[in-house]
Amino acid sequence: MNGPDLVRPARGTRPANRRALIVAAAADLFSRNGYPNVGMGEVAEAVAIGPSALYRHFRGKQSLLATVVDEALTAFAAAVDTAAGKPDEVATTLAATVLARRDVGVLWRREARHLSVRDRAAFRTQARQIGARLAEIIAARRPELDPVAADLLSWGALAVANSVSFHRLSLPEPEFSALLGELIGAVITAPNPTLGQRRDNDTDPAPLAARSRREAIVTEATRLFADRGFGSVSMDEIGAAVGIAGPSVYNHFPAKVDILLAAIFRGEERLRIDMQRALAQAADPRDGLARLLAGYSTFVFENPHLIQTLAAEAGHLPDAHRQRAELAQRAYIAEWVHLLRRLYPDFDPVPARIRVHAAQSMLNDLALTPHLRAYPGIASAAAAFGAEVLALPATLRCQPDSDSQRADEPVRIWAEGAAATAPATAASASATSERGASAG
């Protein structure tokens, strides 16, 4: 299980902790299968009770989800509070917390979209409080940071910690905790980021609308899928978003799933083309990985809704298309891992994949955080954090807007004569199992 430990009680018994057992079972099912794919009957079966008995504890499935998310965030907040007492051990504390509750990240980032508007707002406030508390701890350790930099580092550290929610890779202990703690610490101690002047609000600037109706449908549908989940969006809502009646959408796509397929194919193709360009222009594995990192960061910050759809909605595709999408995602990650292991031959495969997942998941998470997207230069600042997570022997420096430099274009300053030898870290530990992976 990813969530809290659950022992299925014998049918017919009435354990005193039945509510806690229900929440634990729901957390596991929601994180593994997705909220829309779990029925109350399945939750009831997991704790050996009848479905009607669930309603003595919860009004419905959405109420149960709210409790699951609340308990996950509360556990994480408690870990951050604990870390405040030992700020030098904050990375270790966060690593231990998320490895005990690997479902926290996916419950918040993927499943919380299915909550009511009121609950989502309340939990968003709770998440911001967690980020602010961690920023205070980081600022206490690093007094040279201004509040913006400490805030960005805190969200980056939280994202790396929760990256283990989005894959099933594993290492024996204490290697796993040591590696994850190292990766979290790499962000906390990253060079001071430099950002431009923040926009007045967190709302993304409205892009120019495509003249093509088909393009407009894919763009607006992708935004809706990312915000609310594929299953919660109707064709009428997609039509309304582009100014046409719902049935008119069928003039462009046979079904809603075909719009999703078009969006996912678009994202995969853009990543593939960017990867091919980066590899063609790279001087060596280090340069290739840095180019991939910079390109991916730019992509996710320019397309946060598309990356959310790629990461969370492929399961709604027909089997053949879903399997193809999963293979494409794994192949993309494998290219990063291949370059990283050419750079550091002592890195074993599974620790290297965990490191790549952490870097990609961190970029995804930062791009999906609205108040961070409001800063010019955020994509290159985030890429610099990714370089720390990947242990690149180079520094990525970001600059705000200037006449000669795009705000989100990284400036590479290669370390002269830097030896491409593996640092003495937990990443060289042997892995005992690899139970599959999903795209970060």
Side-chain angles (χ1 to χ4, degrees):
M1 285 187 61
N2 288 331
D5 293 338
L6 170 66
V7 178
R8 188 176 188 271
R11 187 170 290 278
T13 61
R14 301 181 67 88
N17 64 337
R18 174 170 284 175
R19 180 183 172 88
L21 292 172
I22 293 170
V23 173
D28 179 53
L29 289 167
F30 293 158
S31 63
R32 284 192 293 112
N33 302 331
Y35 173 83
N37 303 317
V38 176
M40 291 293 268
E42 293 174 82
V43 179
E45 175 61 26
V47 292
I49 61 175
S52 61
L54 287 179
Y55 293 95
R56 299 172 189 163
H57 301 276
F58 302 96
R59 297 189 305 275
K61 193 171 75 162
Q62 195 176 61
S63 172
L64 177 55
L65 175 63
T67 302
V68 166
V69 172
D70 178 55
E71 293 201 0
L73 289 178
T74 298
F76 211 82
V80 173
D81 286 340
T82 298
K86 298 180 178 179
D88 291 339
E89 299 177 13
V90 61
T92 302
T93 301
L94 292 179
T97 300
V98 297
L99 289 177
R101 286 292 310 267
R102 288 184 70 169
D103 58 351
V104 173
V106 75
L107 287 170
W108 168 242
R109 183 56 74 191
R110 190 186 73 193
E111 303 309 326
R113 296 177 300 161
H114 303 290
L115 292 167
S116 68
V117 173
R118 179 178 178 180
D119 283 339
R120 286 183 69 180
F123 290 134
R124 192 175 294 114
T125 297
Q126 187 175 355
R128 290 287 292 267
Q129 290 170 344
I130 292 172
R133 184 71 175 113
L134 181 57
E136 291 175 358
I137 297 170
I138 294 173
R141 285 185 57 181
R142 300 185 58 183
E144 79 278 9
L145 299 175
D146 62 31
V148 171
D151 178 65
L152 179 54
L153 289 169
S154 74
W155 287 104
L158 290 171
V160 168
N162 282 313
S163 65
V164 296
S165 277
F166 300 95
H167 62 75
R168 295 187 295 276
L169 297 165
S170 185
L171 289 169
E173 289 295 349
E175 288 89 348
F176 203 174
S177 293
L179 174 58
L180 186 58
E182 175 199 331
L183 301 182
I184 297 168
V187 176
I188 291 174
T189 59
N192 193 343
T194 302
L195 298 173
Q197 183 64 39
R198 184 173 180 269
R199 292 196 306 267
D200 291 338
N201 58 64
D202 296 344
T203 303
D204 294 322
L208 290 175
R211 181 176 182 276
S212 164
R213 185 75 75 188
R214 180 183 174 88
E215 287 298 307
I217 289 171
V218 173
T219 298
E220 293 304 322
T222 300
R223 188 180 303 275
L224 290 170
F225 295 157
D227 286 343
R228 293 165 45 201
F230 175 80
S232 301
V233 176
S234 70
M235 290 293 261
D236 285 342
E237 290 169 316
I238 295 171
V242 296
I244 61 176
S248 297
V249 177
Y250 292 101
N251 294 329
H252 304 275
F253 293 94
K256 186 173 69 167
V257 72
D258 294 292
I259 307 175
L260 176 63
L261 180 60
I264 288 178
F265 178 76
R266 171 179 295 178
E268 290 171 351
E269 280 297 286
R270 286 195 57 180
L271 289 174
R272 182 181 62 81
I273 291 169
D274 184 75
M275 178 178 69
Q276 291 176 340
R277 180 171 55 248
L279 296 179
Q281 295 175 350
D284 52 37
R286 176 182 61 185
D287 186 30
L289 194 54
R291 289 175 183 273
L292 276 178
L293 179 64
Y296 187 78
S297 187
T298 297
F299 173 77
V300 298
F301 278 96
E302 289 180 349
N303 303 276
H305 298 99
L306 182 54
I307 202 65
Q308 172 77 342
T309 299
L310 276 170
E313 305 302 330
H316 295 284
L317 295 174
D319 286 347
H321 291 297
R322 175 182 53 77
Q323 291 167 7
R324 183 197 57 77
E326 290 173 353
L327 287 173
Q329 291 172 347
R330 290 174 183 172
Y332 181 72
I333 291 172
E335 290 291 348
W336 288 53
V337 174
H338 172 69
L339 290 174
L340 184 61
R341 295 191 69 214
R342 285 188 63 188
L343 188 59
Y344 294 125
D346 290 343
F347 277 8
D348 286 335
V350 173
R353 287 183 70 86
I354 291 171
R355 193 178 285 268
V356 167
H357 272 290
Q360 292 186 355
S361 292
M362 179 196 65
L363 294 173
N364 296 348
D365 224 35
L366 294 180
L368 288 166
T369 305
H371 82 276
L372 297 179
R373 291 203 303 271
Y375 288 101
I378 182 62
S380 48
F385 295 171
E388 298 297 321
V389 171
L390 294 174
L392 290 185
T395 301
L396 295 178
R397 184 183 67 208
C398 63
Q399 296 179 345
D401 287 328
S402 70
D403 292 338
S404 60
Q405 177 83 22
R406 277 188 53 199
D408 291 338
E409 181 182 351
V411 180
R412 296 176 182 84
I413 307 175
W414 301 112
E416 293 295 330
T421 54
T425 68
S428 58
S430 297
T432 57
S433 65
E434 178 171 358
R435 300 194 299 272
S438 61

